[in-house]
Amino acid sequence: MDRREFIKIATYAGLGTFLLPGCHTARTSLPEERNLSGNQGNSAVISDLIIVQGSQPESMLTKGFEALGGIQNFVKPGNTVVVKANFSVPRLPEEACTTNPLLAAALIKLCRQAGAKEIKVIDYPFTNPVICLEKTGIKKAVLEAGGKIYTLNNGLERYFTPVKINGQALLEVDYSKDVLEADVFFNLPILKHHYITDVTMGLKNMMGLVWDRGYFHTGELHRCIAELATVRRPTLTILEAIRGITANGPTGPGPIQEYNQLIFGTDPVAVDAYGATLFGKKPAKLDYLRIAAEKGVGQLDWEKLNVKRV
Protein backbone atom coordinates (compact mmCIF):
# COMPACT_ATOMS: atom_id res chain seq x y z
CA MET A 1 0.00 0.00 0.00
CA ASP A 2 1.42 3.36 -0.94
CA ARG A 3 1.15 6.54 1.10
CA ARG A 4 -1.71 7.97 -0.90
CA GLU A 5 -3.76 4.82 -0.55
CA PHE A 6 -3.14 4.71 3.18
CA ILE A 7 -4.29 8.27 3.66
CA LYS A 8 -7.39 7.59 1.62
CA ILE A 9 -8.32 4.65 3.80
CA ALA A 10 -7.49 6.46 7.02
CA THR A 11 -9.69 9.34 5.99
CA TYR A 12 -12.52 6.97 5.19
CA ALA A 13 -12.08 5.46 8.63
CA GLY A 14 -12.90 8.85 10.13
CA LEU A 15 -9.64 9.70 11.81
CA GLY A 16 -10.49 13.38 11.98
CA THR A 17 -8.52 16.38 10.89
CA PHE A 18 -5.07 14.92 11.68
CA LEU A 19 -3.63 11.95 9.86
CA LEU A 20 -0.78 10.41 11.67
CA PRO A 21 2.33 9.25 9.87
CA GLY A 22 4.79 6.54 10.70
CA CYS A 23 3.67 3.01 11.74
CA HIS A 24 4.70 0.03 9.71
CA THR A 25 4.16 -3.61 9.05
CA ALA A 26 7.74 -3.93 7.91
CA ARG A 27 11.04 -2.06 7.63
CA THR A 28 13.91 -2.75 5.34
CA SER A 29 16.39 -2.28 8.17
CA LEU A 30 15.45 -2.97 11.74
CA PRO A 31 16.87 -1.00 14.66
CA GLU A 32 18.48 -2.55 17.65
CA GLU A 33 16.05 -4.95 19.26
CA ARG A 34 14.52 -3.61 22.41
CA ASN A 35 13.28 -5.27 25.54
CA LEU A 36 9.62 -5.49 24.64
CA SER A 37 8.53 -6.34 28.14
CA GLY A 38 9.64 -2.86 29.19
CA ASN A 39 10.08 -1.58 32.70
CA GLN A 40 7.09 -2.72 34.69
CA GLY A 41 7.53 -0.18 37.46
CA ASN A 42 7.29 -1.04 41.11
CA SER A 43 4.15 -3.16 41.20
CA ALA A 44 3.34 -6.30 39.20
CA VAL A 45 2.56 -8.29 42.32
CA ILE A 46 -0.97 -6.99 42.73
CA SER A 47 -3.43 -8.69 40.42
CA ASP A 48 -6.79 -7.88 42.02
CA LEU A 49 -9.33 -5.57 40.57
CA ILE A 50 -10.36 -2.68 42.79
CA ILE A 51 -13.74 -1.15 41.98
CA VAL A 52 -14.48 2.16 43.67
CA GLN A 53 -18.02 3.47 43.68
CA GLY A 54 -18.71 7.21 43.85
CA SER A 55 -18.90 10.42 41.90
CA GLN A 56 -16.00 12.50 43.23
CA PRO A 57 -12.79 11.74 41.31
CA GLU A 58 -10.34 12.83 44.01
CA SER A 59 -11.83 10.80 46.85
CA MET A 60 -12.41 7.80 44.59
CA LEU A 61 -8.77 7.83 43.54
CA THR A 62 -7.62 8.00 47.14
CA LYS A 63 -9.87 5.09 48.12
CA GLY A 64 -8.59 3.02 45.24
CA PHE A 65 -4.95 3.43 46.16
CA GLU A 66 -5.72 2.80 49.81
CA ALA A 67 -7.27 -0.51 48.77
CA LEU A 68 -4.06 -1.28 46.86
CA GLY A 69 -1.91 -0.58 49.89
CA GLY A 70 -1.09 3.02 49.02
CA ILE A 71 0.52 4.95 46.22
CA GLN A 72 3.92 4.06 47.68
CA ASN A 73 3.42 0.51 46.40
CA PHE A 74 3.67 1.93 42.91
CA VAL A 75 5.70 5.14 43.09
CA LYS A 76 9.04 5.38 44.89
CA PRO A 77 11.00 8.53 45.72
CA GLY A 78 12.87 9.77 42.69
CA ASN A 79 10.72 7.89 40.17
CA THR A 80 9.71 9.29 36.81
CA VAL A 81 6.00 8.75 36.23
CA VAL A 82 4.20 8.88 32.89
CA VAL A 83 0.42 9.11 32.74
CA LYS A 84 -1.33 8.29 29.46
CA ALA A 85 -4.55 10.25 29.71
CA ASN A 86 -7.19 10.77 27.03
CA PHE A 87 -7.53 14.34 25.81
CA SER A 88 -7.67 13.42 22.16
CA VAL A 89 -10.78 15.43 21.29
CA PRO A 90 -11.70 19.05 22.12
CA ARG A 91 -14.57 18.46 24.51
CA LEU A 92 -15.42 20.07 27.82
CA PRO A 93 -15.04 17.87 30.90
CA GLU A 94 -18.83 17.72 31.38
CA GLU A 95 -19.19 16.18 27.91
CA ALA A 96 -17.59 12.95 29.23
CA CYS A 97 -15.36 12.27 26.22
CA THR A 98 -11.96 12.83 27.85
CA THR A 99 -10.14 12.05 31.09
CA ASN A 100 -11.58 14.08 33.93
CA PRO A 101 -9.01 16.80 34.75
CA LEU A 102 -9.78 16.50 38.46
CA LEU A 103 -8.79 12.85 38.32
CA ALA A 104 -5.54 13.59 36.52
CA ALA A 105 -4.68 16.32 39.00
CA ALA A 106 -5.44 14.07 41.96
CA LEU A 107 -3.14 11.38 40.57
CA ILE A 108 -0.31 13.88 40.15
CA LYS A 109 -0.72 15.07 43.73
CA LEU A 110 -0.51 11.51 45.04
CA CYS A 111 2.60 10.83 42.97
CA ARG A 112 4.24 13.98 44.32
CA GLN A 113 3.37 12.94 47.86
CA ALA A 114 5.12 9.63 47.16
CA GLY A 115 8.25 11.51 46.11
CA ALA A 116 8.10 11.22 42.33
CA LYS A 117 10.82 13.24 40.65
CA GLU A 118 8.79 14.02 37.56
CA ILE A 119 5.21 13.37 36.42
CA LYS A 120 4.42 13.67 32.72
CA VAL A 121 0.90 13.55 31.31
CA ILE A 122 0.79 12.78 27.60
CA ASP A 123 -1.55 12.06 24.72
CA TYR A 124 -1.55 12.22 20.95
CA PRO A 125 -4.78 14.04 19.97
CA PHE A 126 -6.16 13.32 16.54
CA THR A 127 -7.70 16.77 16.41
CA ASN A 128 -6.01 20.11 17.07
CA PRO A 129 -3.70 19.44 20.05
CA VAL A 130 -3.62 23.01 21.31
CA ILE A 131 -7.40 23.23 21.46
CA CYS A 132 -7.61 19.79 23.08
CA LEU A 133 -5.21 20.79 25.85
CA GLU A 134 -7.17 23.91 26.64
CA LYS A 135 -10.79 22.90 26.13
CA THR A 136 -10.61 19.63 28.06
CA GLY A 137 -9.31 21.55 31.06
CA ILE A 138 -6.53 19.05 31.57
CA LYS A 139 -3.62 21.38 30.88
CA LYS A 140 -4.64 23.82 33.59
CA ALA A 141 -5.36 21.03 36.07
CA VAL A 142 -2.07 19.21 35.49
CA LEU A 143 0.10 22.32 35.67
CA GLU A 144 -1.59 23.50 38.85
CA ALA A 145 -1.04 20.06 40.40
CA GLY A 146 2.68 20.21 39.65
CA GLY A 147 2.92 17.93 36.63
CA LYS A 148 4.08 18.39 33.07
CA ILE A 149 1.75 17.96 30.13
CA TYR A 150 2.29 17.87 26.40
CA THR A 151 1.08 16.23 23.22
CA LEU A 152 3.14 13.91 21.05
CA ASN A 153 2.03 15.53 17.80
CA ASN A 154 4.75 16.76 15.48
CA GLY A 155 7.51 14.96 17.35
CA LEU A 156 8.54 11.72 15.68
CA GLU A 157 12.24 12.06 16.50
CA ARG A 158 11.67 13.68 19.86
CA TYR A 159 8.97 11.47 21.33
CA PHE A 160 9.11 8.09 19.56
CA THR A 161 11.50 5.25 19.01
CA PRO A 162 11.14 2.10 16.90
CA VAL A 163 10.10 -1.04 18.74
CA LYS A 164 9.90 -4.49 17.23
CA ILE A 165 6.71 -6.44 17.88
CA ASN A 166 6.89 -9.26 15.36
CA GLY A 167 3.16 -9.84 15.49
CA GLN A 168 0.80 -10.93 12.76
CA ALA A 169 -0.45 -7.40 12.11
CA LEU A 170 2.43 -5.34 13.48
CA LEU A 171 6.10 -6.01 12.95
CA GLU A 172 7.31 -2.72 14.37
CA VAL A 173 5.90 0.56 15.63
CA ASP A 174 7.30 3.94 16.58
CA TYR A 175 6.45 3.92 20.28
CA SER A 176 6.52 6.55 23.01
CA LYS A 177 10.00 7.05 24.47
CA ASP A 178 8.50 8.55 27.60
CA VAL A 179 6.60 5.38 28.41
CA LEU A 180 9.48 3.04 27.63
CA GLU A 181 11.86 5.02 29.84
CA ALA A 182 9.49 5.71 32.74
CA ASP A 183 9.84 4.03 36.11
CA VAL A 184 6.07 4.03 36.46
CA PHE A 185 3.45 4.01 33.70
CA PHE A 186 -0.14 4.78 34.64
CA ASN A 187 -2.78 4.26 31.96
CA LEU A 188 -5.71 6.61 32.63
CA PRO A 189 -8.41 5.99 30.01
CA ILE A 190 -12.08 6.89 30.02
CA LEU A 191 -14.79 4.33 29.29
CA LYS A 192 -16.74 5.52 26.27
CA HIS A 193 -18.24 4.50 22.97
CA HIS A 194 -16.13 3.99 19.87
CA TYR A 195 -17.80 3.64 16.51
CA ILE A 196 -15.47 0.88 15.28
CA THR A 197 -14.60 -1.13 18.39
CA ASP A 198 -17.90 -0.44 20.20
CA VAL A 199 -16.12 0.70 23.33
CA THR A 200 -12.72 2.20 24.10
CA MET A 201 -10.91 1.63 27.40
CA GLY A 202 -7.34 0.92 28.50
CA LEU A 203 -5.89 -1.14 25.66
CA LYS A 204 -7.26 1.13 23.00
CA ASN A 205 -6.13 4.20 24.92
CA MET A 206 -2.56 3.05 24.31
CA MET A 207 -2.95 3.64 20.58
CA GLY A 208 -2.08 7.22 21.50
CA LEU A 209 1.46 6.03 22.25
CA VAL A 210 2.13 5.18 18.59
CA TRP A 211 3.26 7.64 15.95
CA ASP A 212 1.16 6.14 13.17
CA ARG A 213 -1.95 4.76 14.75
CA GLY A 214 -3.67 5.59 11.47
CA TYR A 215 -2.22 2.35 10.12
CA PHE A 216 -4.26 0.44 12.69
CA HIS A 217 -7.44 1.55 10.96
CA THR A 218 -6.44 0.21 7.58
CA GLY A 219 -7.14 -3.41 8.31
CA GLU A 220 -6.75 -5.50 11.42
CA LEU A 221 -7.58 -2.89 14.04
CA HIS A 222 -8.42 -5.35 16.79
CA ARG A 223 -5.27 -7.41 16.29
CA CYS A 224 -3.15 -4.26 16.15
CA ILE A 225 -4.53 -3.09 19.49
CA ALA A 226 -3.88 -6.49 21.06
CA GLU A 227 -0.34 -6.75 19.71
CA LEU A 228 0.47 -3.21 20.78
CA ALA A 229 -0.44 -4.18 24.33
CA THR A 230 2.56 -6.54 24.39
CA VAL A 231 5.05 -3.65 24.21
CA ARG A 232 4.74 -2.38 27.73
CA ARG A 233 2.21 -3.40 30.32
CA PRO A 234 1.03 -0.43 32.41
CA THR A 235 2.15 -0.42 36.00
CA LEU A 236 -1.48 0.24 36.79
CA THR A 237 -4.58 0.91 34.70
CA ILE A 238 -7.14 3.24 36.24
CA LEU A 239 -10.28 3.11 34.11
CA GLU A 240 -12.45 6.16 34.57
CA ALA A 241 -16.02 4.94 34.41
CA ILE A 242 -17.63 7.77 36.31
CA ARG A 243 -19.38 9.21 33.25
CA GLY A 244 -18.97 8.37 29.58
CA ILE A 245 -20.70 8.72 26.24
CA THR A 246 -22.60 5.70 24.94
CA ALA A 247 -22.84 6.79 21.29
CA ASN A 248 -21.07 9.03 18.75
CA GLY A 249 -17.69 8.05 20.10
CA PRO A 250 -14.89 8.66 20.28
CA THR A 251 -15.37 12.32 19.43
CA GLY A 252 -18.86 12.94 20.80
CA PRO A 253 -20.94 14.67 21.86
CA GLY A 254 -23.22 11.83 22.78
CA PRO A 255 -25.65 10.57 25.37
CA ILE A 256 -23.96 10.24 28.76
CA GLN A 257 -24.20 7.25 31.08
CA GLU A 258 -23.26 7.66 34.73
CA TYR A 259 -21.53 4.50 35.96
CA ASN A 260 -19.96 6.17 39.00
CA GLN A 261 -17.01 3.80 39.16
CA LEU A 262 -13.22 3.81 38.98
CA ILE A 263 -11.58 0.48 38.20
CA PHE A 264 -7.98 -0.21 39.24
CA GLY A 265 -5.89 -3.14 38.10
CA THR A 266 -2.42 -4.26 37.11
CA ASP A 267 -3.98 -6.66 34.60
CA PRO A 268 -4.96 -4.44 31.64
CA VAL A 269 -7.14 -7.08 30.01
CA ALA A 270 -9.08 -7.77 33.19
CA VAL A 271 -9.73 -4.06 33.74
CA ASP A 272 -11.10 -3.70 30.21
CA ALA A 273 -13.07 -6.93 30.48
CA TYR A 274 -14.85 -5.62 33.53
CA GLY A 275 -15.36 -2.26 31.81
CA ALA A 276 -16.92 -4.02 28.84
CA THR A 277 -19.58 -5.52 31.10
CA LEU A 278 -20.41 -2.04 32.39
CA PHE A 279 -20.92 -0.99 28.79
CA GLY A 280 -23.22 -3.96 28.20
CA LYS A 281 -20.73 -6.00 26.18
CA LYS A 282 -19.43 -9.51 26.67
CA PRO A 283 -15.62 -9.28 26.92
CA ALA A 284 -15.09 -12.29 24.65
CA LYS A 285 -17.07 -10.54 21.92
CA LEU A 286 -14.51 -7.73 21.77
CA ASP A 287 -11.88 -9.18 19.47
CA TYR A 288 -8.98 -7.06 20.72
CA LEU A 289 -9.59 -8.23 24.29
CA ARG A 290 -9.87 -11.85 23.25
CA ILE A 291 -6.69 -11.70 21.18
CA ALA A 292 -4.78 -9.88 23.92
CA ALA A 293 -5.79 -12.55 26.40
CA GLU A 294 -4.69 -15.28 23.97
CA LYS A 295 -1.31 -13.56 23.71
CA GLY A 296 -0.94 -13.65 27.48
CA VAL A 297 -1.39 -9.94 28.09
CA GLY A 298 -3.98 -10.59 30.80
CA GLN A 299 -7.03 -12.39 32.09
CA LEU A 300 -10.24 -12.15 30.07
CA ASP A 301 -12.33 -13.76 32.78
CA TRP A 302 -12.07 -11.00 35.35
CA GLU A 303 -14.34 -12.88 37.73
CA LYS A 304 -11.49 -15.32 38.38
CA LEU A 305 -9.57 -12.52 40.07
CA ASN A 306 -9.95 -11.34 43.61
CA VAL A 307 -12.29 -8.39 43.10
CA LYS A 308 -12.60 -5.86 45.88
CA ARG A 309 -15.34 -3.26 45.89
CA VAL A 310 -14.84 -0.09 47.86
Side-chain angles (χ1 to χ4, degrees), residues 3-301:
R3 193 71 175 169
R4 179 171 299 175
E5 185 181 3
F6 160 69
I7 291 174
K8 179 180 178 182
I9 293 174
T11 303
Y12 181 77
L15 294 178
T17 55
F18 276 69
L19 287 169
L20 308 169
C23 159
H24 324 277
T25 54
R27 280 179 183 247
T28 53
S29 61
L30 295 174
E32 181 180 357
E33 188 168 355
R34 302 180 61 85
N35 176 9
L36 300 186
S37 61
N39 182 342
Q40 299 302 318
N42 300 312
S43 65
V45 296
I46 300 171
S47 59
D48 294 340
L49 286 183
I50 306 296
I51 301 170
V52 181
Q53 195 78 30
S55 59
Q56 302 302 314
E58 301 97 326
S59 62
M60 294 171 75
L61 189 77
T62 299
K63 289 179 181 178
F65 274 108
E66 287 176 350
L68 289 165
I71 187 74
Q72 66 275 8
N73 278 344
F74 299 88
V75 179
K76 305 299 183 186
N79 277 175
T80 295
V81 179
V82 171
V83 179
K84 170 59 179 75
N86 183 327
F87 46 98
S88 60
V89 294
R91 293 291 175 194
L92 297 169
E94 53 266 34
E95 293 181 285
C97 296
T98 52
T99 297
N100 190 311
L102 297 177
L103 184 64
L107 180 56
I108 290 168
K109 292 174 183 175
L110 286 180
C111 291
R112 292 186 64 193
Q113 291 171 12
K117 178 179 66 178
E118 188 174 42
I119 307 119
K120 306 173 184 176
V121 179
I122 62 173
D123 196 8
Y124 189 180
F126 51 84
T127 56
N128 188 301
V130 175
I131 296 176
C132 288
L133 280 166
E134 298 293 341
K135 191 166 184 177
T136 59
I138 197 163
K139 178 181 179 181
K140 182 175 185 293
V142 168
L143 294 178
E144 289 181 352
K148 296 181 178 179
I149 184 166
Y150 48 89
T151 69
L152 307 183
N153 303 66
N154 303 317
L156 174 59
E157 298 298 327
R158 181 177 181 182
Y159 295 124
F160 297 89
T161 190
V163 172
K164 290 177 64 177
I165 292 180
N166 293 326
Q168 294 183 38
L170 298 174
L171 296 183
E172 180 181 306
V173 296
D174 292 314
Y175 195 86
S176 167
K177 291 180 184 176
D178 288 315
V179 169
L180 291 176
E181 295 170 358
D183 298 303
V184 180
F185 167 35
F186 288 135
N187 193 15
L188 192 62
I190 181 172
L191 174 74
K192 64 176 179 177
H193 175 256
H194 191 283
Y195 78 106
I196 299 177
T197 58
D198 290 338
V199 57
T200 174
M201 300 173 285
L203 295 192
K204 192 168 186 317
N205 192 47
M206 290 195 287
M207 280 178 61
L209 301 175
V210 177
W211 172 246
D212 190 1
R213 63 170 175 246
Y215 176 79
F216 287 37
H217 289 272
T218 63
E220 299 183 82
L221 174 61
H222 287 268
R223 184 164 293 279
C224 286
I225 295 171
E227 292 180 356
L228 181 67
T230 66
V231 175
R232 179 170 178 179
R233 182 174 173 140
T235 307
L236 184 70
T237 298
I238 306 171
L239 175 61
E240 180 192 347
I242 302 174
R243 303 168 72 248
I245 58 172
T246 57
N248 302 326
T251 58
I256 296 173
Q257 174 72 40
E258 294 187 357
Y259 306 101
N260 293 319
Q261 294 188 22
L262 276 185
I263 301 95
F264 297 69
T266 57
D267 183 330
V269 175
V271 170
D272 278 12
Y274 175 80
T277 65
L278 279 182
F279 202 78
K281 300 292 181 182
K282 293 182 178 179
K285 296 294 185 182
L286 297 176
D287 286 346
Y288 66 89
L289 283 184
R290 176 183 53 77
I291 296 169
E294 291 171 354
K295 296 183 73 64
V297 177
Q299 173 63 257
L300 188 63
D301 188 355

